[in-house]
Amino acid sequence: MSDLRVIDTHFHVWDLAVQRLPWLEGTDGSISKTYTFGDLADIYAQMDGVEFVGGVYVEVDCSDALAEDAIVYDLMEREPRVLAAMLRGSVGPAMRVPLNAAGIREPLHVDGAARGRCLEPSFIDGLAALSAAGKPFESCNRVGELEDAYRAFSQVPEETVILNHLGNVERMDAAWCAAMERFAALPNLYVKVSGYPTADSGFVRELLAFVRETFSADRLLYASNWPVVNMYSSLAEHFELVRDAFGDDEDFFMGNAVRAYGLHIGKERACSKESFAPPSPSPTIRARSTWSCGVATSTTWPTRA
């Protein structure tokens, strides 16, 4: 039996000797150190039956985005398993888009992001510009503003949007469940299955079951959120939980990422963007079981990047 091929669609690396990440100052200090791509690859190398094909670098909300662009360019030149980079930009019709960026992430979940930012006319125009350029938007939102995000994305349904961390879910209340169901109806929205703590196994099982039954299978992406995942779990534990939930589904662990990001994997992998069936033109919301939406089933959540 061949190994499960995996693309990690959400990882960060940073070098605190040359980069400053102000948001780390508000954490417990457990991830306030330098992380390299080799550290990430080593974790996957220790997993039985797993081939780590590569991953998608996501910007780290550092104090100098231009320096980060250069650091990531050098990383991608050295390491072919960095398959794409979602770099920082301020979304608008005249936004800066680095040449090595597969797409753009403007952090909407941080304290400095104005409430309602994604509904500003310039932001909507920027989404349209990204769509015209064939570049996805990486969306990380405060959970209380998911309705705003839906209203924004529904105005530019042709744009590929990749929603981070299940919308930064805090609990499966009625508002979050309703937002997820609305997102599931958008024709070009993908969602990353990441960003939740794993201490409450019952909550995790219910959460992942809800996600599987709400979203079309071709819109779900495996992501680790490493190394931020170390604040509330570990990459190994997170991986095992999603593998238990999704089995060895290569679309979830790899194929959907190829489509979402337009990746081209080397022939030696026997995989390319064309190797996978195209996504359904309009995902449908599946009938689901009765969920405890509206019941707080989680604890306080850490910062997620």
Side-chain angles (χ1 to χ4, degrees), residues 11-39:
F11 77 87
H12 309 284
V13 294
W14 54 71
D15 182 352
L16 295 187
V18 296
Q19 291 177 285
R20 179 172 174 266
L21 281 61
W23 60 270
L24 282 177
E25 297 166 10
T27 69
D28 62 7
S30 61
I31 59 170
S32 296
K33 60 182 182 179
T34 293
Y35 290 93
T36 70
F37 186 83
D39 297 332

Side-chain angles (χ1 to χ4, degrees), residues 181-258:
E181 289 173 343
R182 283 191 286 272
F183 282 134
L186 292 175
N188 290 298
L189 184 134
Y190 293 81
V191 61
K192 291 182 178 180
V193 181
S194 56
Y196 49 86
T198 55
D200 184 343
S201 59
F203 172 76
V204 173
R205 284 194 301 271
E206 186 174 12
L207 176 69
L208 296 183
F210 173 84
V211 169
R212 288 189 67 193
E213 294 197 14
T214 299
F215 287 89
S216 176
D218 57 11
R219 298 310 166 101
L220 296 173
L221 301 172
Y222 165 69
S224 72
N225 196 27
W226 184 87
V228 181
V229 66
N230 293 333
M231 293 180 61
Y232 50 85
S233 181
S234 69
L235 193 160
E237 181 182 32
H238 170 69
F239 185 86
E240 286 306 311
L241 285 168
V242 294
R243 195 173 190 181
D244 286 345
F246 290 90
D248 284 5
D249 181 346
E250 193 163 279
D251 275 335
F252 173 72
F253 284 103
M254 181 173 172
N256 294 344
V258 169

Side-chain angles (χ1 to χ4, degrees), residues 6 11 13 36-42 44 52-57 70-85 100 226 263-265 268-269:
V6 172
F11 77 87
V13 294
T36 70
F37 186 83
D39 297 332
L40 175 66
D42 286 346
Y44 282 108
F52 178 48
V53 175
V56 176
Y57 172 89
I71 290 168
V72 175
Y73 177 85
D74 289 342
L75 173 63
M76 296 179 78
E77 287 290 293
R78 298 192 314 270
E79 178 50 76
R81 289 177 295 178
V82 181
L83 303 174
N100 58 322
W226 184 87
L263 303 178
H264 295 276
I265 312 300
E268 69 277 6
R269 303 280 181 191

